[in-house]
Amino acid sequence: MEDLLAARLQMAVSLGWHIVFACIGMTMPVLMAYSEWKWLRTGKQVYIDLAKAWSKGVAIFFAVGAVSGTVLSFELGLLFPEFMRYAGPIIGMPFSWEGTAFFVEAIALGVFLYGWDRLNKWVHWLSGVVVGISGVLSGIFVVAANAWMNSPAGFKWNNGVVTDIDPVAAMFNDAWFTQALHMTLAAFVATSFAVAGVHAILLLRNRQNVFHRKAVQIALSFGAVTAFLQPISGDLSAKDVAERQPAKLAALEALYKTSKPADLVIGGIPNDEEERVNYAIHLPGLLSFLAHGDFDAEVTGLDKFPEEERPPVLITHLAFQVMVGCGFLLAFAGLLHILFSVWWKHLLLKRWWLKFVACLTPLGFIAVEAGWTVTEVGRQPWIIYGVMKTKDAVSPMPGLQYSFYTILVVYLLLTIILVWLMRRQIATIETYYPSARNINE
């Protein structure tokens, strides 16, 4: 295995594994704090039970996520030292702010976990709010650094020499807002539907269980709202990518030829040799509208770029199709939840509906993984778009494949431990939480 491929695969596995915990860390504390707020307002036992149960899950995922996040910070320097040599002084600000948010989150989580019955109720709830806010900010700061890789700003590049560094301009680059918005919404969609799915599975055993009923209701409420907002943020992102990274847009839409107007391609398998997409559905002019707000606008194709600067079309296109497909299915599920909650509440406990929600459990995270594949693979061959290629940033140290194999083993063991801990936590719900044994509200 080539060192470049080994380094990229290691980063892909590490990031793909960690991003799940980043999403959970941004969302679960909000659900946890919201449930405690409902208890403070209503006094119902089920809400405080949910807050306590979810807080234990937050603690578990926080601990495991901290491990994988630490690994990622070292990997950037070890696997791509040339990248960090130039990028470190430029994007150090978002990383430092992310570290600050992480420490605040850790302190607030400690207060929340050990403050039950020791603090004023509203003070305790406020600590949970701090956990939620700092978790969201932590994710946004990391995304700002990634956005800089897609839209470099805040420096001048003169023959390999970096000058005139402006960390603020680098952090708030042209891509940070759209990427941060899209990622934050994605985190809430993925985690909310996953939480709802797990509780829906448990609710199928006893559809009158108030603990799981309220859990599904709260999680789907957050999931439905963010799933509706996600296509809007996706449209903003598409227009932004069309302007800044036309090669990425061409790859994710498998647009080999510059077209005016350009069709939107749904599905299909790109054929690089024949430069066409087989078995696809074409919607005339729609890509022109999505990219530039005009059905007759010209959209730049891959033919405008040298072959060595074209992203891998097959992976980028298929990942984009998976992301969009999952997103629309989750938005449809969110719409059904709202309709049922307003007009047909009796349908929320039907077995077919609970089974449908249960099937959606992994879908949000599949969309997140596909979305990050689009972001990272679609930027290739650049590690800093238009400035530095990935092959020029990789470590000269030989034997990087052994580091990759080690990471695979470590993450496999962490996954086994995590599954065991969560299964144990779920199995003890009825033991520790009264509302989980009671069908009355």
Side-chain angles (χ1 to χ4, degrees):
M1 182 184 296
E2 294 183 355
D3 287 340
L4 175 60
L5 178 59
R8 290 185 62 194
L9 285 176
Q10 182 172 333
M11 285 299 299
V13 170
S14 299
L15 181 59
W17 203 84
H18 177 71
I19 199 172
V20 173
F21 299 95
C23 290
I24 294 172
M26 294 171 72
T27 309
M28 280 301 299
V30 176
L31 299 181
M32 173 187 76
Y34 176 79
S35 186
E36 186 177 11
W37 176 79
K38 290 284 287 184
W39 170 69
L40 291 170
R41 293 293 301 272
T42 66
K44 292 182 178 180
Q45 181 68 35
V46 62
Y47 293 120
I48 192 64
D49 286 348
L50 277 173
K52 289 182 177 180
W54 284 343
S55 69
K56 291 183 178 180
V58 169
I60 293 172
F61 284 110
F62 181 86
V64 179
V67 174
S68 59
T70 303
V71 170
L72 271 172
S73 63
F74 282 105
E75 283 178 335
L76 275 174
L78 293 174
L79 298 177
F80 299 99
E82 285 300 303
F83 167 75
M84 292 304 297
R85 175 186 173 189
Y86 295 104
I90 305 173
I91 57 173
M93 178 177 287
F95 282 126
S96 64
W97 278 109
E98 190 277 334
T100 302
F102 174 81
F103 283 120
V104 171
E105 183 181 6
I107 294 169
L109 181 59
V111 173
F112 189 89
L113 293 175
Y114 296 103
W116 293 108
D117 303 322
R118 295 180 176 89
L119 297 174
N120 173 274
K121 294 177 181 179
W122 286 99
V123 172
H124 184 267
W125 169 76
L126 185 60
S127 69
V129 172
V130 173
V131 176
I133 293 175
S134 56
V136 172
L137 289 177
S138 180
I140 290 175
F141 291 138
V142 170
V143 172
N146 180 267
W148 177 84
M149 297 166 69
N150 290 305
S151 179
F155 70 101
K156 291 183 180 179
W157 181 268
N158 298 313
N159 298 320
V161 178
V162 176
T163 59
D164 299 334
I165 295 175
D166 184 348
V168 176
M171 179 172 173
F172 297 105
N173 56 80
D174 291 340
W176 86 270
F177 176 75
T178 54
Q179 277 198 218
L181 177 64
H182 199 62
M183 184 64 229
T184 301
L185 290 174
F188 274 83
V189 173
T191 306
S192 297
F193 275 97
V195 171
V198 170
H199 284 283
I201 294 171
L202 299 171
L203 189 56
L204 282 167
R205 301 174 186 175
N206 177 8
R207 283 178 287 170
Q208 300 304 315
N209 187 296
V210 66
F211 182 89
H212 298 303
R213 281 168 52 197
K214 291 298 183 183
V216 172
Q217 179 184 345
I218 292 173
L220 281 184
S221 296
F222 277 87
V225 172
T226 49
F228 274 158
L229 295 175
Q230 189 69 311
I232 299 175
S233 74
D235 180 65
L236 293 175
S237 296
K239 287 179 170 56
D240 182 61
V241 169
E243 180 179 348
R244 293 182 301 95
Q245 294 178 294
K248 177 185 287 188
L249 179 70
L252 61 89
E253 284 294 341
L255 184 67
Y256 289 100
K257 303 292 184 182
T258 300
S259 303
K260 181 183 180 180
D263 298 348
L264 180 68
V265 176
I266 299 178
I269 301 175
N271 186 326
D272 288 339
E273 293 184 0
E274 299 180 6
E275 295 192 343
R276 54 174 294 180
V277 186
N278 299 320
Y279 318 112
I281 299 173
H282 293 260
L283 302 180
L286 193 54
L287 179 58
S288 294
F289 178 77
L290 293 176
H292 301 293
D294 181 356
F295 284 100
D296 295 318
E298 180 178 275
V299 180
T300 304
L302 292 168
D303 58 328
K304 295 293 185 179
F305 303 92
E307 289 192 12
E308 65 274 12
E309 294 185 6
R310 298 180 183 179
V313 180
L314 180 63
I315 296 176
T316 307
H317 177 73
L318 293 181
F320 180 70
Q321 297 297 310
V322 169
M323 179 190 69
V324 173
C326 291
F328 274 104
L329 181 55
L330 291 172
F332 174 69
L335 174 62
L336 290 180
H337 171 72
I338 292 175
L339 292 176
F340 294 167
S341 298
V342 175
W343 286 294
W344 303 292
K345 290 185 179 181
H346 65 284
L347 295 177
L348 294 174
L349 291 178
K350 293 293 185 180
R351 293 189 66 85
W352 65 266
W353 170 250
L354 294 176
K355 288 181 179 179
F356 176 60
V357 174
C359 290
L360 299 176
T361 303
L363 216 59
F365 287 112
I366 292 174
V368 167
E369 298 288 358
W372 272 102
T373 299
V374 171
T375 299
E376 297 303 299
V377 178
R379 189 179 61 245
Q380 299 306 311
W382 305 98
I383 191 169
I384 306 175
Y385 189 73
V387 176
M388 177 184 290
K389 291 187 175 180
T390 308
K391 66 179 182 179
D392 298 326
V394 72
S395 171
M397 181 180 68
L400 293 182
Q401 68 268 27
Y402 300 112
S403 174
F404 169 56
Y405 300 146
T406 301
I407 285 296
L408 282 179
V409 174
V410 170
Y411 282 157
L412 178 61
L413 292 175
L414 283 174
T415 301
I416 294 172
I417 294 172
L418 178 64
V419 171
W420 175 76
L421 287 172
M422 291 308 300
R423 285 176 61 90
R424 181 184 178 187
Q425 172 64 18
I426 292 172
T428 60
I429 286 178
E430 293 187 3
T431 302
Y432 292 104
Y433 307 110
S435 61
R437 304 188 297 269
N438 189 358
I439 65 173
N440 299 313
E441 297 189 30

